[in-house]
Amino acid sequence: MSLSSTDVIYPLLLANQPTNKSINKMGVIKITTSNDYQYAINGEGVSAIEFCAPWDEPSKAISPKFDSFSESDKFKALSFYRVDINDAQVPTADVAMDSGVKLAPQFHFYKDGAKVGEYIGSSYPALEVRPFDLVLTS
């Protein structure tokens, strides 16, 4: 089995997360294990998690926008994560099932370990305004 640079880099990124999320500019981090997911939802600050299926047209449409949010100064206080709900090589299907994800794309928002929002769909304005407004003001 050969490892890609992604297989090596993402676990290192998760292990070296900054404790001050206000300086987070790491882009979207791929969740590949239950431990990664637990870290993402239980961390300090706000975490935005995208559950997607890469073959799904709505997921393909909204993922680049989610990526751009992760690099935006407007959302610099958030940490961004992605779960591929159909990746049979990693246990992310279990993560999606445990999270109650039945459709993709779906977005969950956590603040200091508590779920504070959810959005299902691929509307850019709805993703940008409703859930992010909810977590930034809660």
Side-chain angles (χ1 to χ4, degrees), residues 51-138:
F51 294 88
C52 66
W55 53 265
D56 177 63
E57 291 302 321
S59 291
K60 288 195 291 189
I62 196 75
S63 286
K65 190 67 169 176
F66 190 72
D67 292 344
S68 73
F69 292 161
S70 74
E71 298 295 334
S72 168
D73 285 340
K74 181 177 180 180
F75 304 118
K76 67 181 178 184
L78 283 77
S79 292
F80 292 82
Y81 301 91
R82 178 171 289 129
V83 177
D84 177 348
I85 64 173
N86 291 326
D87 191 343
Q89 301 299 316
V90 295
T92 54
D94 292 339
V95 167
M97 195 181 303
D98 292 345
S99 302
V101 173
K102 294 183 173 97
L103 298 170
Q106 190 166 134
F107 302 85
H108 291 187
F109 302 88
Y110 293 85
K111 186 171 185 176
D112 299 325
K115 188 173 178 182
V116 294
E118 180 177 305
Y119 173 70
I120 300 171
S122 59
S123 167
Y124 297 164
L127 179 59
E128 184 172 13
V129 175
R130 288 189 307 160
F132 286 111
D133 187 51
L134 170 71
V135 295
L136 293 174
T137 60
S138 66

Side-chain angles (χ1 to χ4, degrees), residues 9-27:
I9 292 171
Y10 283 118
L12 292 174
L13 289 176
L14 287 173
N16 296 307
Q17 285 284 316
T19 54
N20 179 357
K21 288 191 177 189
S22 66
I23 60 169
N24 183 26
K25 282 299 199 184
M26 296 169 46

